[in-house]
Amino acid sequence: MTTRARTATTPGLRTEHLTSTTPPPGPRLPLAVQTLLFGSFRHRWLPVLRRRHGDVIRLRIYPERSVVEIADVEHIRAIFSGSPSIFHAGEGNMILKPAMGEHSVLLTDEDVHLRARKLLMPAFNGAALRGYRDMITRLADEEAGRWPTGTPFPSHARMQALTLEVILRVVFGVSAGARLDELRRLLSRIVDVGPIDLIGWYNPKLQRFGPWRRYAVAQRRVDELLYAEIAERRRADDLADRNDVLSRLLTVSGEEDRLSDAELRDQLITLLLAGHETTATALAWALHELARDPAQLAAATRAADAGDDRHLEAVAKESMRLHPVISEVARKLTRDIEIGGYRIPAGHTVMPSIALVHGDAGHHPDPREFRPERFLGDGPPTGTWLPFGGGVRRCLGAGFSLLEATIVLRAVLSRYHLAPDRERPEGARPRNITMVPARGARIAVTQRGQTVTG
């Protein structure tokens, strides 16, 4: 029986009146082996497990130990629309706590989360996005103007530098000064971690040695810089005239909404890290794919020349589908549930799989092909494109990310012709909780109208 047929006959989600006692199937490999496979090869391993076990797969990985991957769209929709008191996204994201902090909007649940989300939302609503457009356009044009022509270079690094600059302006309103210069350098170090580095987050003894020690030192220095920026900003007498996130958070009305320095630090570092790394990676993958597909490159170039933002946004969306930057989202259970005919106990983490849904030919025909036109017209079926999660925990910065990606693609494509540095496409490698181009999405660019070489 195929996975698709098996899914069609299984019951949906239950949170009460449970009848099943059957645990989900999954591999029997040791925890250490499963952790290694998930951390470094999940983009290859999970499709194999789905073919073998179906749409509900139990894994044992460090540090959560018991997690359940969910690949069926209806099950995922039920989880996203389920009670936030049962499906704790904050607890599910606890792997990020050492970097983001306990107050982060990504790591809190229920009323505490709603409070943080309410405070941050004004910085990413429609009016705010319109206000960022000129700033992003200017920075994107300046960045593209610095690119070397005719010599291959890693586009991922350039996208990281650009998106970090953009989010620094959004968070702080300024980008000049020795403190922010140092912060730029250290934030680049903070996001550059692999699966082995993550182990050190949960083992204080390891933090005395080698790369774990260097990471801990960098993180402490980032905290010092952020607290210094917060203290200086609290003394400013023009906060009401500023629109950056830090100033907004310092001028909220109501005693219950005022944030402590520790709370401010956690929200700022969350925005700085999550607000640039994922968009940079999605843009790098988009450039990687366009450089290898002359027809799609020509169509995207025409869109850039014509100001067709809808097509450029479709390019960004297809990049996010084909190369999910984050392969799943997590919800930790506060009570037993039943899903797909299997019982999952409280304390387990269910993980709706973005990667498995995006790679499913039943939702996206020829899923390994780069086809931005999927997102023109009616687009893919509802619930089959999930780069920003879903439900009440859908990413606050989704609109910001797509706006930024569209502007950057226009700035690059209106100036350059893209070419790959070699014929074979790049694979993916893990970087913190993301999957990035293994060689940095290397491309070569030439000014439009010139002959492409290399």
Coordinates of all heavy atoms in Angstrom, one line a residue, residues 103 110-122 234 245-265 267:
H103 N 12.8 34.6 26.9 CA 11.7 35.5 26.7 C 11.3 35.7 25.2 O 10.4 36.4 24.9 CB 12.0 36.9 27.3 CG 12.4 36.9 28.7 ND1 11.5 36.6 29.7 CD2 13.6 37.2 29.3 CE1 12.1 36.7 30.9 NE2 13.4 37.0 30.7
E110 N 1.2 30.7 24.9 CA -0.1 31.1 25.4 C 0.0 32.6 25.7 O 0.4 33.4 24.9 CB -0.5 30.3 26.6 CG -0.6 28.8 26.3 CD -1.2 28.0 27.4 OE1 -2.2 28.4 28.0 OE2 -0.6 26.9 27.6
D111 N -0.4 33.1 26.9 CA -0.5 34.5 27.1 C 0.8 35.3 27.0 O 0.8 36.4 26.6 CB -1.1 34.8 28.5 CG -2.6 34.3 28.6 OD1 -3.2 34.1 27.6 OD2 -3.1 34.2 29.8
V112 N 1.9 34.6 27.5 CA 3.2 35.3 27.4 C 3.6 35.5 25.9 O 4.1 36.6 25.5 CB 4.3 34.5 28.1 CG1 5.6 35.1 28.0 CG2 3.9 34.3 29.6
H113 N 3.3 34.5 25.1 CA 3.6 34.7 23.7 C 2.7 35.7 23.0 O 3.2 36.6 22.2 CB 3.4 33.3 23.0 CG 3.3 33.5 21.5 ND1 4.5 33.6 20.7 CD2 2.3 33.5 20.6 CE1 4.2 33.7 19.4 NE2 2.9 33.7 19.3
L114 N 1.4 35.7 23.3 CA 0.5 36.7 22.8 C 1.0 38.1 23.1 O 0.9 39.1 22.3 CB -0.9 36.5 23.2 CG -1.6 35.2 22.7 CD1 -2.9 35.0 23.3 CD2 -1.7 35.3 21.1
R115 N 1.4 38.3 24.3 CA 1.9 39.7 24.7 C 3.1 40.1 23.8 O 3.1 41.2 23.3 CB 2.3 39.6 26.2 CG 3.1 40.9 26.7 CD 3.4 40.7 28.1 NE 4.2 41.8 28.7 CZ 5.5 41.7 28.9 NH1 6.2 40.6 28.7 NH2 6.2 42.8 29.4
A116 N 4.1 39.2 23.7 CA 5.3 39.5 22.9 C 4.9 39.8 21.4 O 5.4 40.7 20.8 CB 6.3 38.4 23.0
R117 N 4.0 38.9 20.9 CA 3.6 39.1 19.5 C 2.9 40.4 19.3 O 3.1 41.0 18.3 CB 2.7 37.9 19.1 CG 2.4 37.7 17.6 CD 1.6 36.5 17.3 NE 1.4 36.4 15.9 CZ 2.1 35.7 15.0 NH1 3.2 35.1 15.5 NH2 1.8 35.6 13.8
K118 N 2.0 40.8 20.2 CA 1.3 42.0 20.1 C 2.2 43.2 20.0 O 2.0 44.2 19.3 CB 0.3 42.2 21.3 CG -0.5 43.5 21.2 CD -1.4 43.6 22.5 CE -0.5 44.1 23.6 NZ -1.3 44.5 24.8
L119 N 3.3 43.2 20.8 CA 4.3 44.3 20.8 C 5.1 44.3 19.6 O 5.5 45.4 19.1 CB 5.2 44.1 22.1 CG 4.5 44.2 23.4 CD1 5.5 43.9 24.5 CD2 4.0 45.7 23.6
L120 N 5.4 43.2 19.0 CA 6.2 43.2 17.8 C 5.5 43.4 16.5 O 6.1 43.8 15.5 CB 7.0 41.9 17.7 CG 8.0 41.6 18.8 CD1 8.6 40.2 18.8 CD2 9.2 42.6 18.7
M121 N 4.2 43.1 16.5 CA 3.4 43.1 15.2 C 3.4 44.5 14.5 O 3.5 44.5 13.3 CB 2.0 42.7 15.5 CG 1.8 41.2 15.5 SD 0.1 40.7 15.8 CE -0.6 41.1 14.2
P122 N 3.4 45.6 15.2 CA 3.4 46.9 14.5 C 4.6 47.1 13.6 O 4.5 47.9 12.6 CB 3.3 47.9 15.6 CG 2.6 47.2 16.7 CD 3.1 45.8 16.7
R234 N 17.5 54.0 26.1 CA 16.5 54.4 27.2 C 16.7 55.8 27.6 O 15.8 56.5 28.1 CB 16.7 53.5 28.4 CG 16.1 52.1 28.3 CD 16.1 51.4 29.7 NE 15.6 50.0 29.6 CZ 14.3 49.7 29.6 NH1 13.4 50.6 29.6 NH2 14.0 48.4 29.6
V245 N 12.4 49.2 15.8 CA 11.8 48.2 16.7 C 12.1 48.5 18.2 O 11.3 48.5 19.1 CB 12.1 46.8 16.4 CG1 11.6 45.8 17.4 CG2 11.6 46.4 15.0
L246 N 13.4 48.8 18.4 CA 13.8 49.0 19.8 C 13.1 50.3 20.4 O 12.6 50.2 21.5 CB 15.3 49.2 19.9 CG 15.9 49.6 21.2 CD1 15.5 48.6 22.3 CD2 17.4 49.7 21.2
S247 N 13.0 51.3 19.6 CA 12.3 52.5 20.1 C 10.9 52.3 20.3 O 10.3 52.7 21.3 CB 12.5 53.7 19.1 OG 13.9 54.0 19.0
R248 N 10.2 51.5 19.4 CA 8.8 51.2 19.6 C 8.6 50.4 20.9 O 7.6 50.7 21.6 CB 8.4 50.3 18.4 CG 8.2 51.0 17.0 CD 7.9 49.9 16.0 NE 7.9 50.4 14.6 CZ 6.9 50.8 14.0 NH1 5.7 50.7 14.5 NH2 6.9 51.2 12.7
L249 N 9.5 49.5 21.2 CA 9.3 48.6 22.4 C 9.5 49.5 23.6 O 8.9 49.1 24.7 CB 10.3 47.5 22.3 CG 10.0 46.4 21.3 CD1 11.1 45.3 21.3 CD2 8.6 45.8 21.4
L250 N 10.3 50.5 23.5 CA 10.6 51.3 24.7 C 9.5 52.4 24.9 O 9.5 53.0 26.0 CB 12.0 52.0 24.6 CG 13.2 51.1 24.7 CD1 14.5 51.9 24.4 CD2 13.3 50.5 26.1
T251 N 8.7 52.6 24.0 CA 7.6 53.6 24.1 C 6.2 53.0 24.2 O 5.2 53.8 24.1 CB 7.7 54.6 22.9 OG1 7.6 53.9 21.7 CG2 9.0 55.4 23.0
V252 N 6.1 51.7 24.5 CA 4.8 51.1 24.6 C 4.1 51.7 25.8 O 4.7 52.1 26.8 CB 4.8 49.6 24.7 CG1 5.4 49.0 23.5 CG2 5.7 49.2 26.0
S253 N 2.8 51.9 25.8 CA 2.0 52.4 26.9 C 1.4 51.2 27.7 O 1.2 50.1 27.1 CB 0.9 53.2 26.4 OG 0.0 52.5 25.5
G254 N 1.3 51.4 28.9 CA 0.7 50.4 29.8 C 1.8 49.6 30.5 O 2.8 49.1 29.9
E255 N 1.7 49.6 31.8 CA 2.7 49.0 32.7 C 2.9 47.5 32.3 O 4.0 47.0 32.4 CB 2.3 49.1 34.2 CG 3.4 48.7 35.2 CD 4.6 49.5 35.1 OE1 4.5 50.7 34.9 OE2 5.7 49.0 35.4
E256 N 1.8 46.8 32.0 CA 1.9 45.4 31.7 C 2.7 45.1 30.4 O 3.2 44.0 30.2 CB 0.5 44.8 31.6 CG -0.3 45.1 30.4 CD -0.9 46.5 30.5 OE1 -0.8 47.2 31.5 OE2 -1.6 46.9 29.5
D257 N 2.9 46.1 29.5 CA 3.6 45.9 28.3 C 5.0 46.3 28.3 O 5.7 46.1 27.3 CB 2.8 46.6 27.1 CG 1.5 45.9 26.8 OD1 1.4 44.7 27.0 OD2 0.6 46.6 26.2
R258 N 5.4 46.9 29.4 CA 6.8 47.4 29.4 C 7.8 46.2 29.7 O 7.5 45.4 30.5 CB 7.0 48.5 30.5 CG 6.2 49.7 30.2 CD 6.3 50.8 31.3 NE 5.5 51.9 31.0 CZ 5.1 52.8 31.9 NH1 5.5 52.7 33.2 NH2 4.3 53.8 31.5
L259 N 8.8 46.2 28.9 CA 9.7 45.1 28.9 C 11.0 45.4 29.7 O 11.5 46.5 29.7 CB 10.2 44.7 27.4 CG 9.0 44.4 26.5 CD1 9.6 44.0 25.1 CD2 8.2 43.2 27.0
S260 N 11.5 44.4 30.4 CA 12.7 44.5 31.1 C 13.9 44.5 30.1 O 13.7 44.1 28.9 CB 12.9 43.4 32.1 OG 13.0 42.1 31.4
D261 N 15.1 44.8 30.6 CA 16.2 44.7 29.7 C 16.4 43.3 29.2 O 16.8 43.1 28.0 CB 17.5 45.2 30.4 CG 17.6 46.7 30.6 OD1 16.6 47.4 30.1 OD2 18.6 47.2 31.1
A262 N 16.2 42.3 30.0 CA 16.4 40.9 29.6 C 15.3 40.5 28.5 O 15.7 39.9 27.5 CB 16.3 40.0 30.8
E263 N 14.1 41.0 28.7 CA 13.1 40.7 27.7 C 13.4 41.4 26.4 O 13.3 40.9 25.3 CB 11.7 41.2 28.2 CG 11.2 40.3 29.3 CD 9.9 40.9 29.9 OE1 9.9 42.1 30.2 OE2 8.9 40.1 30.0
L264 N 13.9 42.7 26.5 CA 14.3 43.4 25.3 C 15.4 42.7 24.5 O 15.4 42.5 23.3 CB 14.7 44.8 25.6 CG 13.6 45.8 25.9 CD1 14.1 47.1 26.6 CD2 12.8 46.1 24.7
R265 N 16.4 42.3 25.3 CA 17.5 41.6 24.7 C 17.1 40.4 23.9 O 17.5 40.1 22.8 CB 18.5 41.1 25.8 CG 19.7 40.3 25.3 CD 19.4 38.8 25.4 NE 20.5 38.0 24.8 CZ 20.3 36.8 24.3 NH1 19.1 36.2 24.3 NH2 21.3 36.1 23.8
Q267 N 14.1 39.6 22.6 CA 13.3 39.9 21.4 C 14.3 40.5 20.3 O 14.1 40.2 19.1 CB 12.2 40.9 21.7 CG 11.2 40.5 22.8 CD 10.6 39.1 22.6 OE1 10.7 38.5 21.5 NE2 10.0 38.6 23.6

